Amino acid sequence: MTSSITRSDGGARSETVRIRRATARDAKRLTRLVRTSRAYEGPYAAMVAGYRVGPDYIETHQVFAAIEPGTDRLLGFYSLILAPPELDLMFVADDAQGLGIGRLLIGHLRDEAQRAGLPGVRIVSHPPAEGFYRSVGARRTGTLAANPPAVMWDRPELVLPID
């Protein structure tokens, strides 16, 4: 599937970012993206230090990857759990932040959720990402309390309505 976000070289040429279903062969790249994310530096680093997106996870869940035009470079990915509906993971490569990749992934997630007949998708957000999720239409529904030692901080809980 190709989704539209224009990437231009400054001239007339532009291409669209491709979103495709992730495969078991993507596991190492997805894991690397999670573990090296600047969003999880400092006090958040422990949460992703040993995190692994394994082939079994990719085969079990709806995992989609955004791929750079003309290459196979991973720009970001998300994982949608269908029952109960939840955005389990969403990461955008540090050097792709601000290019609209996150919004593109959310648009794709909405399409997938709509195809599955879901009325909404729960999001338990990394605290610094709450503003992004709210900017794409998610509504805050509460706070998920810290769960030491895995998660040492409270996290915003939101729902993304599916139209």
Side-chain angles (χ1 to χ4, degrees):
M1 171 180 200
T2 300
S3 296
S4 60
I5 184 171
T6 302
R7 304 254 319 190
S8 176
D9 62 4
R13 195 187 96 201
S14 66
E15 298 174 294
T16 54
V17 171
R18 184 170 54 101
I19 296 182
R20 63 165 173 76
R21 185 78 186 255
T23 67
R25 293 181 348 154
D26 294 315
K28 287 182 181 178
R29 294 191 308 162
L30 300 180
T31 297
R32 187 173 31 250
L33 183 58
V34 170
R35 289 185 183 176
T36 62
S37 173
R38 284 195 315 256
Y40 283 87
E41 289 179 332
Y44 301 115
M47 185 172 176
V48 297
Y51 201 89
R52 179 177 170 268
V53 182
D56 52 337
Y57 179 90
I58 294 168
E59 291 172 2
T60 304
H61 296 88
Q62 304 284 314
V63 182
F64 293 90
I67 305 300
E68 184 174 51
T71 73
D72 195 37
R73 188 171 82 92
L74 178 67
L75 297 173
F77 77 97
Y78 77 89
S79 173
L80 174 63
I81 296 174
L82 297 176
E86 182 171 354
L87 174 62
D88 190 40
L89 297 170
M90 183 168 156
F91 283 83
V92 174
D94 292 336
D95 62 348
Q97 299 274 330
L99 300 176
I101 303 302
R103 290 181 185 282
L104 182 67
L105 289 169
I106 289 292
H108 189 275
L109 176 142
R110 275 193 163 111
D111 291 345
E112 290 297 312
Q114 188 171 44
R115 268 192 282 286
L118 305 177
V121 174
R122 177 180 185 238
I123 300 170
V124 177
S125 177
H126 180 48
E130 179 183 5
F132 166 75
Y133 290 119
R134 292 174 68 123
S135 78
V136 296
R139 295 185 322 268
R140 182 145 187 186
T141 58
T143 301
L144 196 63
N147 184 18
V151 181
M152 302 299 291
W153 58 90
D154 293 346
R155 294 172 290 159
E157 186 173 18
L158 306 105
V159 66
L160 181 67
I162 305 302
D163 301 321

